[in-house]
Amino acid sequence: MKSNSFWILLASLSFVFFGSFALKAQQVTNKVSTEEELTSDLKAGPCKNADRISAVKELFKRMGASDEAIKVDDLPDVKNVFVVKKGKTEETIIVGAHYDKVSDGCGTIDNWSGIVILAHLYRTLSAFETQKTFIFVAFDKEEIGLVGARAMAKAIPKEKRVSYCSMVNLDSFGLGYPVILENSSNSKMAKAAKDLAAELKMPITGVNLSGAADADSTAFNEKDIPAITLSGLSGKWPEILHSSKDKIENVVAGSVRVGY
């Protein structure tokens, strides 16, 4: 189950784009986000951490989630925001992105881009009946030690972890084609991502930033829930992320669209 879960997620998305689901064409079109829609939501990202949790809730709401469906984790000093898309089974895939930012810049790339992709994926997959249940979660306090993700992973009872098939983390898009952050990713999931990318003829590379960067997927790998982090970075990332340059003017919109 666990080794195939990443295929299920990305194959589901590829089916959306290439028409393999038996849904009305108009319904599919309405649920597949355009580059213009993604860019508009990127521009709306708040530059202040204090404003981000309400912006996350509003974005999920505009993507079709009801007020009642949008939840906030009841965990000490953590405010993870999440929406559940029920499937036919209790087998679960977590799709996550952190919404907090460092003090410099607007955090558009790191990581409002991930939040925008997360919310639009929720809208897209909500159009389909899925075998597995999806939890779309916006993590709090990633920048100070993966606090929100570790709180969520720790809160999953050990006996229930087997039902959590995988975790897919979205962190920092807008500079280039998708990359796999290998130092924060399960090796089998990384291989599955590369194999599927080859099948879809989509460029993807693996990078190892051990010592320079970590990501929320690590919190789930630590609990034996296979996890992977996908980014949309280029070689320019060290001069942009965690700096005053992390703003909408430096985002390559096509990178966010391809990541989505």
Side-chain angles (χ1 to χ4, degrees), residues 45 62 64 82 85 143 216 228 241:
R62 289 197 299 99
F82 66 96
K85 192 275 180 198
E143 297 289 3
D216 283 326
I228 187 171
L241 268 63

Side-chain angles (χ1 to χ4, degrees), residues 230-241:
L230 300 174
S231 297
L233 299 178
S234 71
K236 295 175 61 178
W237 77 265
E239 64 185 74
I240 294 178
L241 268 63

Side-chain angles (χ1 to χ4, degrees), residues 132-226:
K132 298 185 188 298
T133 292
F134 287 82
I135 302 176
F136 296 87
V137 54
F139 291 113
D140 188 15
K141 298 181 179 178
E142 186 267 358
E143 297 289 3
I144 59 172
L146 319 183
V147 175
R150 284 198 165 111
M152 181 180 181
K154 182 179 179 181
I156 300 171
K158 188 173 182 179
E159 65 274 12
K160 291 187 177 181
R161 288 178 198 162
V162 67
S163 66
Y164 284 76
C165 304
S166 64
M167 185 272 180
V168 178
N169 184 47
L170 308 165
D171 195 340
S172 302
F173 290 79
L175 295 178
Y177 276 106
V179 299
I180 301 164
L181 190 61
E182 292 185 329
N183 53 290
S184 299
S185 299
N186 173 278
S187 59
K188 289 183 178 179
M189 292 187 69
K191 182 181 183 302
K194 291 175 182 177
D195 290 346
L196 185 57
E199 182 180 333
L200 298 178
K201 295 180 172 57
M202 175 185 286
I204 194 168
T205 57
V207 297
N208 193 316
L209 303 180
S210 182
D214 203 350
D216 283 326
S217 52
T218 293
F220 295 88
N221 283 318
E222 290 171 345
K223 298 297 183 182
D224 295 323
I225 297 172

Side-chain angles (χ1 to χ4, degrees), residues 23-192:
L23 288 177
K24 293 180 180 179
Q26 186 62 44
Q27 183 183 14
V28 174
T29 300
N30 288 344
K31 296 293 185 178
V32 176
S33 302
T34 65
E35 185 174 306
E36 289 73 20
E37 288 174 316
L38 293 163
T39 301
S40 176
D41 287 329
L42 278 173
K43 290 179 178 178
C47 289
K48 295 181 179 179
N49 263 326
D51 298 331
R52 288 206 161 196
I53 187 170
S54 59
V56 169
K57 293 177 182 178
E58 181 60 31
L59 183 55
F60 271 130
K61 187 174 179 179
R62 289 197 299 99
M63 293 299 107
S66 66
D67 288 331
E68 295 74 21
I70 301 169
K71 308 290 185 181
V72 178
D73 267 340
D74 185 18
L75 299 169
D77 301 317
V78 171
K79 294 182 178 179
N80 295 332
V81 182
F82 66 96
V83 183
V84 177
K85 192 275 180 198
K86 292 292 292 182
K88 292 181 180 179
T89 73
E90 295 301 314
E91 293 179 347
T92 299
I93 295 172
I94 299 167
V95 188
H98 74 88
Y99 68 83
D100 63 310
K101 58 177 284 294
V102 297
S103 57
D104 291 337
C106 276
T108 306
I109 296 169
D110 185 13
N111 184 38
W112 195 251
S113 64
I115 291 296
V116 168
I117 293 173
L118 177 76
H120 281 261
L121 288 178
Y122 166 75
R123 180 175 75 162
T124 300
L125 286 180
S126 293
F128 306 106
E129 184 177 58
T130 58
Q131 191 71 19
K132 298 185 188 298
T133 292
F134 287 82
I135 302 176
F136 296 87
V137 54
F139 291 113
D140 188 15
K141 298 181 179 178
E142 186 267 358
E143 297 289 3
I144 59 172
L146 319 183
V147 175
R150 284 198 165 111
M152 181 180 181
K154 182 179 179 181
I156 300 171
K158 188 173 182 179
E159 65 274 12
K160 291 187 177 181
R161 288 178 198 162
V162 67
S163 66
Y164 284 76
C165 304
S166 64
M167 185 272 180
V168 178
N169 184 47
L170 308 165
D171 195 340
S172 302
F173 290 79
L175 295 178
Y177 276 106
V179 299
I180 301 164
L181 190 61
E182 292 185 329
N183 53 290
S184 299
S185 299
N186 173 278
S187 59
K188 289 183 178 179
M189 292 187 69
K191 182 181 183 302

Side-chain angles (χ1 to χ4, degrees), residues 238-257:
E239 64 185 74
I240 294 178
L241 268 63
H242 291 193
S243 80
S244 59
K245 295 181 180 180
D246 189 351
K247 54 187 179 179
I248 189 65
E249 288 81 3
N250 289 320
V251 172
V252 178
S255 168
V256 179
R257 164 69 178 185

